[in-house]
Amino acid sequence: MMNRLNKLVLVIVCLLLLMLCITPVQAQVDNIHHQSATYEYPEDPQVLAKLEKWRDQKFGVIIHWGLYAVPGIIESWALCSEDWIERDSTVSYHDFKQWYWGLHKEFNPVNFNPEHWAEVAKSAGMRYLVFTTKHHDGFNMFDTQQTDFKITSGPFAGNPRADVAKYVFNAFRQEGFMIGAYFSKPDWHSEYYWWPKYATANRNNNYDIRKYAWRWNQYKQFTYNQISELMHNYGTMDILWLDGGWVRPKETVNKEVLSWGAPIPDWSQDIDMPRIAAMAREAQPGLLMVDRTVHGPYENYQTPERSIPDRKIDHPWESCIPLANNWGYVPKDEFKSSATIIHSLVEVVAKGGSLLLGIGPKPDGTLPEIVENRLGEIGDWLEVNGEAIYNTRTIDHYQDGAVFFTRDKSGYHYAIACLAENEPLPPSIEWSGNRPKKGSKIKLLQNGKTVKWVQEGDKVKVYLPASLIKNASYPALAFSFVADKN
């Protein structure tokens, strides 16, 4: 009885300390994925066509959901022994890992409703999905046949929707989303990545691949098989979003990679991306490969994390930013305002990118109420202003202070003024450059009506209707106009 009591106390202490100590350092991990310095356009016409379709969508959702939702801690990283990780010093690392792995016996999302998720995302104006099929901890949110460490082998196994990835993908397809599968290249639960013979000191595999080539070849085949399952058994896929950029050919490690501050082993963690890509694209023609931070033919668009580039970039990219401080569900997390997200979306699109917004469902399968509320507010804005966001491209003069500019493919221009949050509207909006054609009309997308405007030198001044100013504050106002070609 005393041994059981001690184990219970140990679990409770681990959980409390994790929630207090690990959550604040999330950004240290996320910041390793800066934007790549080089870009290589794909040559396959089908991939290029899919890429252009993706560039039209502009706003997507990435859903982090896995074992880490059960205790409400940052996703996977608590398992990793690196300097920035804090754990209870009275609990052995072995005991901690056993506690974490054991969470699969508790993960039972009985209120899982992917159709509702898809409805909420569509109402928010989102148009593409990236769903975490497996994070670095190796727990699979799909019915892989390569391991029993999966959602379909725990208490949720008897549920008719136990293969959650299948039902998430189907629900979002029904709402017209482009579909992406997040997949972690490292797998800390696999004995072929973290070999139990040795300690697991950091995020890398923990044995010398040069000495144990057979073991690494087993891991390569394991990874290939899992991705093959996703590409063959889960319907039409548009995006394979590969995380864990330290798993890469050693020759691709450069100053940019070294700047992350993560340890680099002496051997190559090469999983044979050409073989994986050939198989994946045979199953899914035109598939976008997003091998994050690994430059070349399998990084079809770049993914700066928690940041927006400081300039316009004309090749394909997206900023991935969480709605809260954390990617997955963490109780009492702090959430960004809808205005903050709208401003980020406007800036990202004006600079040529797309915004991938991160949310995390609770362990029972429901979305936190605040997530639904925030997404609803974003959707309300996009419902009337989406014309200035979707299907647009950049222009040379893309920003003037808090005013950003886009254009549609026919050349129609948009000015989007990001406004101070919770403050009254100003009587007018001004910007320099991007002058409307003389004698043309400027339309306010918020109400579809034309507004009075004047030009003073290079400055354009747009007067807001008094009725608009009196009624409410807005996160941003968008205007459409025909630009002067001179």
Side-chain angles (χ1 to χ4, degrees):
M1 175 65 72
M2 184 58 65
N3 286 339
R4 291 181 180 177
L5 180 60
N6 288 341
K7 289 182 179 179
L8 178 61
V9 171
L10 177 63
V11 168
I12 294 172
V13 169
C14 282
L15 176 59
L16 291 174
L17 286 172
L18 278 168
M19 293 174 68
L20 290 173
C21 298
I22 297 179
T23 299
V25 296
Q26 175 70 44
Q28 296 183 37
V29 179
D30 296 326
N31 284 336
I32 68 171
H33 285 302
H34 301 296
Q35 182 162 358
S36 301
T38 61
Y39 179 78
E40 180 180 328
Y41 271 95
E43 297 180 355
D44 184 334
Q46 290 179 292
V47 176
L48 285 169
K50 181 73 63 91
L51 193 56
E52 282 305 295
K53 178 182 178 181
W54 172 81
R55 295 185 80 179
D56 287 340
Q57 310 311 308
K58 300 303 182 187
F59 190 29
V61 59
I62 182 169
I63 301 176
H64 277 77
W65 197 40
L67 288 187
Y68 39 86
V70 177
I73 60 176
I74 65 171
E75 68 289 342
S76 295
W77 286 100
L79 287 169
C80 185
S81 269
E82 294 181 8
D83 290 343
W84 61 274
I85 292 288
E86 294 292 338
R87 284 189 293 266
D88 180 7
S89 61
T90 66
V91 178
S92 75
Y93 184 35
H94 171 78
D95 288 344
F96 173 80
K97 286 193 294 185
Q98 293 307 305
W99 167 78
Y100 187 97
W101 302 136
L103 292 172
H104 79 280
K105 298 177 182 178
E106 302 176 34
F107 192 17
N108 190 20
V110 293
N111 295 315
F112 172 56
N113 185 350
E115 288 80 14
H116 181 66
W117 294 4
E119 290 169 3
V120 170
K122 184 176 182 179
S123 296
M126 295 162 158
R127 295 193 170 183
Y128 68 101
L129 163 78
V130 176
F131 178 71
T132 48
T133 63
K134 181 179 74 171
H135 206 262
H136 312 326
D137 60 9
F139 186 73
N140 296 273
M141 299 298 288
F142 69 107
D143 190 28
T144 178
Q145 301 306 300
Q146 311 308 310
T147 175
D148 288 333
F149 195 53
K150 56 185 178 179
I151 188 70
T152 53
S153 290
F156 200 54
N159 192 288
R161 294 185 164 194
D163 191 353
V164 297
K166 174 182 177 180
Y167 291 95
V168 169
F169 293 144
N170 286 343
F172 278 80
R173 278 194 203 97
Q174 289 297 315
E175 296 293 350
F177 280 63
M178 294 184 75
I179 302 300
Y182 171 114
F183 183 87
S184 171
K185 293 185 293 182
D187 184 323
W188 295 335
H189 188 264
S190 170
E191 64 176 315
Y192 301 120
Y193 192 83
W194 273 2
W195 189 3
K197 177 180 178 180
Y198 296 114
T200 53
N202 55 51
R203 70 191 68 187
N204 298 295
N205 79 297
N206 67 336
Y207 59 90
D208 190 332
I209 289 170
R210 298 166 299 185
K211 295 180 180 178
Y212 302 103
W214 174 87
R215 182 165 290 272
W216 186 251
N217 285 334
Q218 290 292 107
Y219 185 70
K220 288 165 64 175
Q221 189 62 47
F222 170 78
T223 303
Y224 179 94
N225 291 346
Q226 285 204 310
I227 294 176
S228 179
E229 290 172 333
L230 289 170
M231 295 298 103
H232 288 90
N233 303 338
Y234 288 84
T236 301
M237 289 286 174
D238 299 296
I239 304 164
L240 177 59
W241 210 86
L242 298 170
D243 202 9
W246 58 93
V247 177
R248 64 197 296 148
K250 185 172 176 57
E251 61 269 21
T252 69
V253 175
N254 53 25
K255 290 182 179 179
E256 179 186 351
V257 177
L258 296 174
S259 72
W260 301 347
I264 305 296
D266 293 331
W267 50 86
S268 179
Q269 297 184 76
D270 185 354
I271 57 171
D272 196 352
M273 194 57 66
R275 179 175 178 240
I276 289 172
M279 171 272 293
R281 284 183 170 149
E282 182 178 2
Q284 302 286 343
L287 179 75
L288 299 181
M289 301 281 295
V290 185
D291 191 7
R292 303 186 65 205
T293 75
V294 183
H295 317 330
Y298 311 116
E299 190 186 35
N300 296 151
Y301 64 80
Q302 298 176 336
T303 56
E305 190 164 314
R306 290 183 183 260
S307 64
I308 301 174
D310 60 4
R311 67 194 188 282
K312 177 173 74 75
I313 298 174
D314 290 326
H315 60 246
W317 61 276
E318 77 182 358
S319 281
C320 47
I321 297 174
L323 179 58
N325 283 337
N326 295 274
W327 294 102
Y329 170 72
V330 173
K332 299 181 180 180
D333 208 348
E334 295 182 5
F335 287 80
K336 301 173 182 66
S337 68
S338 56
T340 296
I341 298 301
I342 290 167
H343 292 173
S344 295
L345 175 62
V346 169
E347 182 178 356
V348 164
V349 171
K351 291 179 175 179
S354 299
L355 176 61
L356 185 64
L357 187 65
I359 63 172
K362 298 194 299 187
D364 70 346
T366 60
L367 296 175
E369 182 179 1
I370 190 171
V371 170
E372 297 201 26
N373 291 340
R374 289 286 195 274
L375 295 184
E377 292 165 354
I378 297 166
D380 289 343
W381 186 85
L382 278 167
E383 186 175 1
V384 292
N385 295 285
E387 178 185 336
I389 299 295
Y390 304 121
N391 306 303
T392 60
R393 294 295 184 267
T394 62
I395 57 178
D396 290 338
H397 183 60
Y398 64 89
Q399 180 181 4
D400 181 32
V403 181
F404 294 86
F405 303 94
T406 62
R407 63 171 177 85
D408 67 18
K409 295 176 183 178
S410 67
Y412 220 75
H413 283 57
Y414 301 93
I416 312 170
C418 294
L419 304 172
E421 191 170 355
N422 298 320
E423 291 189 12
L425 292 180
S428 62
I429 301 293
E430 299 181 1
W431 69 79
S432 296
N434 293 323
R435 297 174 300 179
K437 186 177 180 180
K438 186 175 181 180
S440 65
K441 296 180 179 180
I442 295 181
K443 183 175 73 174
L444 175 62
L445 299 189
Q446 184 67 38
N447 57 17
K449 297 180 179 180
T450 58
V451 292
K452 179 183 176 181
W453 67 278
V454 296
Q455 182 177 325
E456 300 171 351
D458 192 44
K459 182 172 289 186
V460 176
K461 187 172 186 179
V462 178
Y463 295 94
L464 301 182
S467 59
L468 188 75
I469 296 172
K470 292 178 181 179
N471 287 339
S473 62
Y474 298 90
L477 292 175
F479 306 88
S480 63
F481 60 93
V482 176
D484 190 344
K485 295 182 180 180
N486 296 326

